[in-house]
Amino acid sequence: MEKVYSAKEVEAKWSKYWIDNKTFSAKPDKNKKPFTIVIPPPNITGVLHMGHALNNTLQDIIIRFKKMSGFNALWVPGTDHGGIATQSVVEKILKKEGKTKFDLGREKFLEKMRAWRKETGDSILEQLKKLGCGLDWDRTAFTMDESRSKAVQKAFIKLFDKGLIYRGKRLVNWCPHCGTALSDIEVEYENEKSNLWYIKYPFSDGSGYITVATTRPETMLGDTAVAVNPDDTRYLKVSQKTIKLPLIDREIKIVKDFTIEKEFGTGAVKVTPAHDANDDAIAKRHNLEYIEIIDAQGKMINVPDKYKGLSVSDARKAIVADLQEQGFIEKIEDYSHSVGRCYRCMTTIEPLMSWQWFLNVDDMSKRAVKAAKNKETKFYPQSWEKPYTLWLENLRDWCISRQIWWGHRIPVYYCVNEKGEKNSCKPIAAYEKPKKCPECSGEFFLQDNDVLDTWFSSALWPFSVFNWGQNDTNTNEDLNYFYPTSTLVTGHEILYLWVARMVQFGLEFIDDIPFSDIFLNGIVRDKHGKKMSKTLGNVVDPILIMDKFGTDALRFALSQAAVPGRDMQISDENFLSARNFANKIWNASRFIIMNSSEAGELDKNIKPKELADRWILDEFEDLSAKVQLNFTNYDIDKAARELYDFLWTKFCDWYIELSKIRIASTNIDEKKQVLSILIYVLKGTLQLLSPIMPFITSEIWEILNENSKETKIISETIFPLVKNKKEVISISQQEMKIVQDIIVKIRTLRSQTNIAPGLEIKAIFNILDDAKSLGAKNNQGYIKTLAKLNAIEFTKDIKRPKNSAMTVVSGFEIFLPLEGLIDISKEKNRLQKEISNAKGEIERTTKKLENTSFLERAPKEEIKKIRDRSEEARLKIEKIKENLDFLQ
């Protein structure tokens, strides 16, 4: 076994092995229970970021755990075509060449898209291989490959024939930059500092005016009413009046509507049905006219010539200037409000009237809510169930069409004449262009130009990956065996965009939920809690982390911080700590393996001889039970912390140290006995750790089993069985706790009194509790070895000896005589100097913290550092004073 662990070599070796040997491939097997996960397919534009690293590490841990628990575990890989995001990338490439997609035409542009995808689209999958992901690579799917495309067509046609898909002109979220409609959940909202304009709307009869407050004065040219709350006493007498719209003198009416907030502005609001979702609802209730004044490019239309063709922002400036000039502006206030932006390009969304395809999801939503409430779909953490069901209960019809070229073209055909003009015949949904119109027998057809929302194909993913579109459900062996899948692991930010849609479609097309467990992970943030972004320059690249610290270190650090549903903060310190953990495991394993090879063949039967043996075996049984329960409940962070504590502290720092006494023994049977326990516990712990740190555990396991009949592949082993223990804490654990407390207290006391670490000294134990004294007396060897004592004197009812250090531990007062060990006078002087230095530090930090100017200018992190320094100095003084008391 190499002296130093070489992560790069080991990772390259095992990544290749798992792929070449198809370690994680799975086929239907009636003798095994399936456990299935489908990967949230990353966009083909993507490269591995820390969010991917976290999400895929968690999935891999679960798959490896289930495989080693005896399940027929399958994790299906694949990528998503990405719609707008991917088309935007290729359009930028064309722009550098001085071209647009229109210069190429639709078919040539799509050829270029497919070529780009072939060249770069699977790079993220290669990065997942580097991460160690146990995916069945033979099943790699793509949302626009032939099988998935067939599934999309099949789903669309079924919904169309059922009357759930329809085309209509409705108010939609429109991105002028991407040139397409977006669904409500593709709009991201952020606060923007702007103004609230108070505009006078004069009554038509000249009797005065009503003042409306608005954040969008430019849309007033499309107003068709002013609305007030019927309970607003300020406007009881105005309902019969009409208004002349400023700047254009068009007459509009006043309507009363209970949705108007009396507290907003003046309580009177302008109604622009064609450009605001709330106004659209008011217009439907009051049968108001719709006037469109903004087009798909975000330019003004159907307005006076001086505003025609202006961008929305330029129109706002011009209209406000004219309103001010003509005396219609009453006042302008600063105002912050929420503005919708495109989730892809962050352009401000324009609500526009547009012809789109919609899907009626009412019945699907009700079934999805019922499944959640009946616990057919369970959430981890459970707190996400309520917002999920609430969203489904208030869901509008889904706008499924997009005005781009890259994606699944809507399989609807229109009957046209020879000139290409649409006939009055009903549109036909079909897999291929129809040969003859069923209504007029026409033979000319045009396909709809729009493509489907990317999330439409993604919603089919849990069953489309099993070729639902190509095979009959009854004869589809893969689908019938692996569906429904078991667990979905994804970020909470796409709970509505994707998770809900999959549940809707699973129930609609397969009549079953797509997964029973929904495990939601949080967002990876930097060490200050800020979201990682290129703009802030705080992005942590997982590929660089893997190269610098090792892949197992990355995986362990992410696992340890992955509290279900919560965002996490991470930095180099986390990865460094995880790398140190990997090195600790390697060094401990090397120590055991080297000594085992020298001892010859070991006894396979584990025979605990003394307290430390019984204790470590009990601790291992507890660990095995806890870790397997944590994995089952998706508490992967707890499993990681349990493993860290056991391996680093209990196994390495305690048991291995205590075992060294017998390993050094000339009694070969005694040596073999302790080594057999060390090997047994090491193997079991490596198995438990392997889902989180698969590379180092695979390598050590192979070395351990080099001359064994056991499998050399750890991922093909079964987890250690969990025994039913009767005691909550065993007798050996209670007894060992007393011994450990004594050793820790003595070590601390030695450090505080500056006794040389290697110097063996005497200790006096004043017994306070006879029941606990037996454990200490029986295990003096442990205490002497690890506390560096040459003698222990057990006594009762004695006073503290002069010039001794004292500590109290359960059942004992422990005295360390210091005479002759240290120069007490010198030590007192040294400690007094340290107190003086610490007081100086408190004085300096206090001055800074009392400086108002400094507190106003300094970054929060700097102020925190100074406060921490002050507190450290205060605690230091307390500790030193305790030490001085020992020397009195």
Side-chain angles (χ1 to χ4, degrees), residues 488-507:
L488 176 76
V489 186
T490 189
H492 58 65
E493 68 275 11
I494 54 172
L495 177 61
Y496 312 125
L497 273 168
W498 186 45
V499 180
R501 301 299 192 197
M502 284 189 285
V503 177
Q504 288 174 328
F505 275 18
L507 291 165

Side-chain angles (χ1 to χ4, degrees), residues 43-49 52 123-124 127:
N43 284 355
I44 54 173
T45 55
V47 290
L48 194 74
H49 58 61
H52 291 132
S123 59
I124 193 165
Q127 291 169 332

Side-chain angles (χ1 to χ4, degrees), residues 341-352:
R341 299 191 187 281
C342 172
Y343 80 120
R344 285 298 179 196
C345 68
M346 298 312 288
T347 299
T348 301
I349 291 299
E350 284 297 340
L352 299 181

